[in-house]
Amino acid sequence: MKLRKGIQGCPSWLVALATLMGVALHGRTTAALVNIGSQLMVTDLKVVEDPLRTAASNPNAPWTFGYLMSQMAGDQDPSDFVLQWLQTWETDQFINGNKAAARSRIRDLVINPWLLASGGQRLDLTKAPFKLLAIVNRMDLRRHDDSVVETAGEGRFVFGLVNQDGTPVPPIAGVANNPGGFILIMEYELCATNKVQLQNWIQRWSMLGKFPVGSPQYNAQLEAVTRAFSDKGRAPHKPNGNPINQVRSNELSLAEPWELREFTIQGGSLRPHGMAQSPDFISLNGTPAFANLINANATALLNGTYVLPATLQAASSLAGPFLTTDFVDFSSRSFTVIGTGAKKNIPWSAAGIQNNDARQAFALNTCGGCHRAETAINFIHVGFPVGNSLPTRLGKPAALSGFLTGKSIADPVVGSTTRVFGDLQRRQQDFSDLIDNGARGRHWPTFVH
């Protein structure tokens, strides 16, 4: 991690130690001491299992799936709102001519058990089979320059699907020590249209560093932050008056291959939406058209300004593992194939790509690429801890991927190239700079995950 300079002459090793411990030097709280666990990625059990705020039986507990969906539903019946959303998996969904195939197992795995637990007629949201894993600050997704503020970024809730007995739903294929087979992320806008509102969000999140994580004062402050972006009426200009940007699912429990979907409020309902920065994997990967796309946009990809046209967005993003039968013309594709068994890892790739760094920048920004081939993770970035104590409690904080915490891997296409990740440190430095600089200058990211 790059450390800030100027902390009153302290040696670098002491600064690093203080940063890890979350303390200030010489009584001075500096932005370099942004605490990942309390201000950016909150997974502490005293928070995510706070009995006042996460008890599913309490419809007013503000960090529960049921409460958040009821706030998102607007004037609709929240039970109907959730059921209609779940039912979208039961039929093929088409976006830009691309298909997200029906995954009918949603009925037996989620809908019917939930209805049964609810008495059989309608979904009781206090019996929702989703367990809170993390609350996340994504102010690194803010967009502004010196005169215009478009958004302050996002605040997120991460949930994992559990069986009716309270244990994590596993991947359909079975994965040893799995972190869960179905993860759901609710991604809310931190609404801001001017520098004053942007500064207010900076102060809200930075204030969390003043209290011990999980303490009564901390949890009360965090509740105030989350309700400012999750409650109904907080965004009168948006559908249903709720700040939700999108809901994303990441699962390998309903069918293979591993699939991610995106949903937005459309006509008052939560409906499938095109995948941000992600074209259709099956029709495009390994084709001359894909090589042309990378070559024609290499400069924008390398400087981080490329935005995939909305007309190319996929109906879902597939992350594998793949079978040759997933492609009607597998033998004619020129993508890289990793693995000798029936199931193969296939990164975004094609013959004729002139710059592999541009390829990697494109692939990492797709949902499927970020969640598998480009980061070499086993399943998800935030999941159930291995050796958890469910159904009674988690027992340990959520498991975080090496992409978040730090790892080095070989590029999946050019193995001699090493890729280094550590996204939480990147976010820590970004929030540090944001506190120091007061959102001066231009910040307009296209990395959306």
Side-chain angles (χ1 to χ4, degrees), residues 27-342:
R28 178 183 175 191
T29 301
T30 71
L33 303 181
V34 165
N35 188 290
I36 290 174
S38 66
Q39 295 169 295
L40 297 176
M41 174 69 69
V42 184
T43 61
D44 192 284
L45 299 183
K46 294 187 294 294
V47 177
V48 300
E49 294 186 330
D50 179 337
L52 296 177
R53 297 173 174 88
T54 67
S57 59
N58 178 5
N60 295 314
W63 298 339
T64 61
F65 175 91
Y67 177 87
L68 295 170
M69 280 295 188
S70 69
Q71 298 300 304
M72 199 185 301
D75 295 332
Q76 296 187 65
D77 180 283
S79 177
D80 293 340
F81 180 80
V82 173
L83 179 59
Q84 290 169 10
W85 163 64
L86 292 173
Q87 288 172 331
T88 64
W89 269 281
E90 295 191 288
T91 58
D92 294 343
Q93 302 293 324
F94 293 89
I95 296 174
N96 295 325
N98 300 313
K99 181 174 77 171
R103 295 197 161 196
S104 58
R105 197 164 181 256
I106 192 78
R107 173 64 58 172
D108 292 334
L109 186 67
V110 183
I111 298 175
N112 284 347
W114 191 352
L115 283 172
L116 181 63
S118 303
Q121 299 301 313
R122 58 198 310 275
L123 297 178
D124 180 347
L125 297 190
T126 66
K127 299 183 182 300
F130 289 95
K131 174 75 172 175
L132 179 64
L133 297 173
I135 300 173
V136 189
N137 168 8
R138 293 303 308 272
M139 286 200 71
D140 61 300
L141 298 179
R142 68 192 181 278
R143 294 192 295 274
H144 63 81
D145 57 28
D146 281 327
S147 59
V148 175
V149 175
E150 184 175 301
T151 180
E154 289 184 346
R156 298 180 173 182
F157 288 90
V158 183
F159 290 90
L161 180 68
V162 294
N163 294 303
Q164 286 303 309
D165 67 1
T167 59
V169 170
I172 193 171
V175 176
N177 297 323
N178 78 85
F182 194 125
I183 302 299
L184 191 73
I185 308 177
M186 298 180 180
E187 303 177 346
Y188 295 86
E189 181 179 1
L190 305 179
C191 296
T193 58
N194 57 58
K195 285 294 179 70
V196 172
Q197 293 171 344
L198 179 57
Q199 190 63 45
N200 285 341
W201 283 113
I202 299 171
Q203 180 157 3
R204 286 180 177 124
W205 287 105
S206 63
M207 278 285 291
L208 293 170
K210 295 183 177 294
F211 310 106
V213 63
S215 66
Q217 300 95 327
Y218 176 91
N219 287 9
Q221 175 69 22
L222 182 57
E223 178 184 345
V225 174
T226 62
R227 294 189 65 173
F229 66 72
S230 65
D231 278 6
K232 66 174 63 175
R234 295 290 187 170
H237 60 291
K238 300 188 73 168
N240 293 357
N242 188 267
I244 190 71
N245 276 342
Q246 58 273 325
V247 174
R248 288 178 172 165
S249 64
N250 177 6
E251 58 82 18
L252 188 57
S253 292
L254 303 179
E256 294 184 277
W258 181 359
E259 183 186 63
L260 301 97
R261 297 193 183 196
E262 183 172 318
F263 305 85
T264 60
I265 297 179
Q266 304 166 41
S269 300
L270 199 56
R271 301 288 304 170
H273 183 272
M275 302 295 295
Q277 295 290 81
S278 302
D280 186 71
F281 189 94
I282 297 298
S283 64
L284 185 61
N285 196 22
T287 67
F290 178 59
N292 291 338
L293 177 67
I294 299 301
N295 294 338
N297 296 284
T299 299
L301 286 165
L302 292 171
N303 66 26
T305 60
Y306 177 74
V307 177
L308 184 77
T311 54
L312 294 182
Q313 291 176 345
S316 69
S317 186
L318 302 178
F322 296 97
L323 299 172
T324 59
T325 52
D326 290 329
F327 304 84
V328 295
D329 57 348
F330 180 84
S331 61
S332 68
R333 300 297 180 97
S334 62
F335 41 45
T336 297
V337 178
I338 303 171
T340 57

